[in-house]
Amino acid sequence: MDLPSLSFSPERCADLHNRLLAKSIEHLPARRTERNLVARFLDAAPEFAEIPSLPELPLYRFLALLDTTPIFPGRVVDMLTPYMYQPDPTIFWSEPFEDEPSFILLYAQNSGDAPMDGGVFLDIVSYKAVWHERDFLTFPPADQWLPLEVLLQRSLDAWETGKFYWDVGQASMAIRSWTQNDVEEALVAWNRLLSSIELRISSGTGNAPHRLEPLSSESLAPFNISTFAAEFLTRAQRPGFSFNAPGINTFTPELFVVTYTAEAPGSTRQTRWLGDSGDEDWPTLLFPGIDTVPLDVSDNPNMYINSFDRDWGFGKFTVNRQSGLYVIADTKYSDVVRLIASSGLPNACEFRHRFAWGPPRDPKLAEVLRHWASLVEEGTWSVDSNGVCTDHEWFNTNTHVAKVPPCLD
């Protein structure tokens, strides 16, 4: 799908919306639907009725095809997905964003903030869409907006993969912290990274390294690690070389035991979860770096590095200050990761710019591994018989390149 040339189709987008609505009420057989959004829109914005050939406008055609559930007196509109509400024309131009008259808040957010403070905005000139919240202050530039069809399809995919599901106990839609699809995506990306490095090694030496068996569940069992991390590590083949990224190793069974055994039993990492999803979501070191973070980083002039040991810093959630790639526990995404460089820099694997198709989050493991594979394939990282041989300092001096571009593959 060529995203830049994907033109707005009221019919395709309405079909995706209506399929999402059907998912949201599948377990509520008494809930009926109606098609009256155009009337509600003209009640909220009567000046649009004066536009010549109004029914030919893409926005009108789109709204005319949308199913919604009835709004009863004293109630807000119902949910479309766990993240967002159905369209509500009375807040299309909500107060925090009324200085952008071509942007309408099509799907308001479901979060701790008020719905009208953010969600999916649609530009009714370009018909591109983006997730935006008041805390961001300014909208992202036009080249970071996506076709509305893409955002709706991502939500539908979340149902298909089991990310969204119906919680019988709560009688509502809910979000799984991770699914088998997340594991499979990460494994595919991991195999791509290993294959890319192996190809570079074999082209230089004539010999391709052999893969090794994954870590065993028995070796992981004594330690507090996340369920997603355990699933990945016990299925991911280990490479026959040392470095899968600059200064980043892969655990051997012996190194894993030594690293986690040395951790104090009462460490903050093991006693305080970053999430409350109910899964065992301890922050977990997946790929260790070559060094630990120094003890004096609080004096570092870099604001990101000197926050390492502060109350809001990530230092307390590391394994004995060990650098490397960590799975960080999140209430909605247990497969998001953070790279802690040996300097203490925590942001080298953040997204390069704002996440466009949903609420803000850190990059998922699969997204980081795909980016690392591209850095090997493009020749950005050097490779020798030990794997990636670019110095670990690269993450500190090339942070923008290290950051992950939010892509849709």
Side-chain angles (χ1 to χ4, degrees):
M1 180 167 54
D2 186 358
L3 299 182
S5 64
L6 186 63
S7 60
F8 176 68
S9 166
E11 294 75 21
R12 290 198 305 267
C13 289
D15 177 65
L16 290 169
H17 167 100
N18 292 339
R19 289 162 65 187
L20 285 169
L21 182 65
K23 291 284 189 183
S24 73
I25 62 174
E26 184 177 7
H27 296 272
L28 300 169
R31 190 69 55 88
R32 63 183 180 86
T33 62
E34 55 191 18
R35 287 194 180 181
N36 62 357
L37 261 181
V38 165
R40 290 165 52 196
F41 173 64
L42 293 178
D43 283 343
E47 63 274 16
F48 275 78
E50 302 173 8
I51 297 177
S53 305
L54 178 64
E56 298 177 13
L57 289 181
L59 178 63
Y60 184 102
R61 290 163 50 204
F62 174 59
L63 295 178
L65 294 170
L66 296 189
D67 292 334
T68 58
T69 52
I71 301 178
F72 298 101
R75 285 183 54 185
V76 297
V77 297
D78 289 330
M79 304 297 300
L80 181 68
T81 76
Y83 286 131
M84 60 195 189
Y85 288 92
Q86 297 174 37
D88 180 0
T90 66
I91 62 170
F92 276 2
W93 289 274
S94 58
E95 182 177 346
F97 314 103
E98 56 191 0
D99 58 337
E100 299 283 359
S102 69
F103 301 165
I104 66 170
L105 180 54
L106 182 61
Y107 299 110
Q109 66 184 2
N110 174 35
S111 70
D113 298 322
M116 66 283 296
D117 284 347
V120 174
F121 283 82
L122 178 69
D123 181 348
I124 57 176
V125 174
S126 69
Y127 285 94
K128 294 291 184 68
V130 73
W131 186 284
H132 177 72
E133 299 174 10
R134 183 175 61 174
D135 291 345
F136 290 134
L137 300 179
T138 60
F139 282 90
D143 62 356
Q144 293 179 21
W145 292 54
L146 296 171
L148 176 62
E149 188 172 336
V150 172
L151 274 71
L152 294 172
Q153 184 62 59
R154 296 287 292 197
S155 291
L156 194 60
D157 291 344
W159 280 106
E160 300 301 327
T161 62
K163 185 69 177 178
F164 295 165
Y165 71 103
W166 185 261
D167 187 320
V168 176
Q170 298 294 323
S172 65
M173 293 178 285
I175 304 168
R176 286 190 175 91
S177 59
W178 64 274
T179 69
Q180 283 299 321
N181 185 74
D182 296 322
V183 179
E184 296 297 337
E185 282 192 346
L187 289 171
V188 168
W190 174 241
N191 286 328
R192 173 184 164 186
L193 174 60
L194 296 192
S195 296
S196 300
I197 297 172
E198 289 164 351
L199 182 62
R200 295 274 302 275
I201 292 174
S202 63
S203 67
T205 66
N207 297 312
H210 296 291
R211 301 271 180 98
L212 306 173
E213 290 295 315
L215 296 178
S216 68
S217 56
E218 291 77 17
S219 63
L220 274 55
F223 308 104
N224 289 341
I225 65 172
S226 81
T227 54
F228 170 80
E231 185 76 6
F232 174 80
L233 290 171
T234 56
R235 294 181 58 187
Q237 288 185 312
R238 294 182 295 113
F241 51 83
S242 299
F243 296 101
N244 57 65
I248 304 295
N249 286 298
T250 304
F251 272 123
T252 64
E254 297 76 18
L255 180 60
F256 186 90
V257 171
V258 167
T259 300
Y260 277 91
T261 300
E263 185 179 26
S267 70
T268 301
R269 185 195 74 85
Q270 299 179 79
T271 56
R272 285 179 54 196
W273 295 358
L274 293 178
D276 58 1
S277 65
D279 288 330
E280 295 180 337
D281 278 338
W282 294 278
T284 300
L285 179 61
L286 272 184
F287 303 126
I290 54 174
D291 291 311
T292 57
V293 176
L295 295 174
D296 58 355
V297 291
S298 296
D299 298 325
N300 194 292
N302 185 307
M303 60 178 289
Y304 296 105
I305 294 175
N306 68 39
S307 69
F308 183 82
D309 287 315
R310 300 189 190 278
D311 289 343
W312 62 89
F314 192 76
K316 66 178 70 68
F317 299 112
T318 60
V319 179
N320 289 339
R321 307 179 71 85
Q322 179 64 54
S323 63
L325 189 70
Y326 283 81
V327 168
I328 58 177
D330 184 285
T331 56
K332 296 182 175 67
Y333 291 94
S334 288
D335 59 331
V336 294
V337 296
R338 181 172 303 173
L339 180 75
I340 302 299
S342 296
S343 64
L345 187 75
N347 66 334
C349 275
E350 292 179 346
F351 279 126
R352 197 170 293 173
H353 54 75
R354 213 185 299 173
F355 188 65
W357 58 89
R361 62 165 172 80
D362 288 289
K364 292 155 66 80
L365 176 59
E367 292 165 334
V368 168
L369 294 178
R370 283 197 292 261
H371 181 49
W372 285 4
S374 72
L375 293 172
V376 173
E377 293 159 1
E378 295 164 4
T380 304
W381 289 349
S382 300
V383 173
D384 64 14
S385 59
N386 290 317
V388 175
C389 60
T390 297
D391 191 85
H392 184 71
E393 180 64 17
W394 183 89
F395 284 114
N396 295 303
T397 57
N398 296 271
T399 304
H400 180 71
V401 180
K403 290 189 176 185
V404 180
C407 54
L408 290 163
D409 48 331

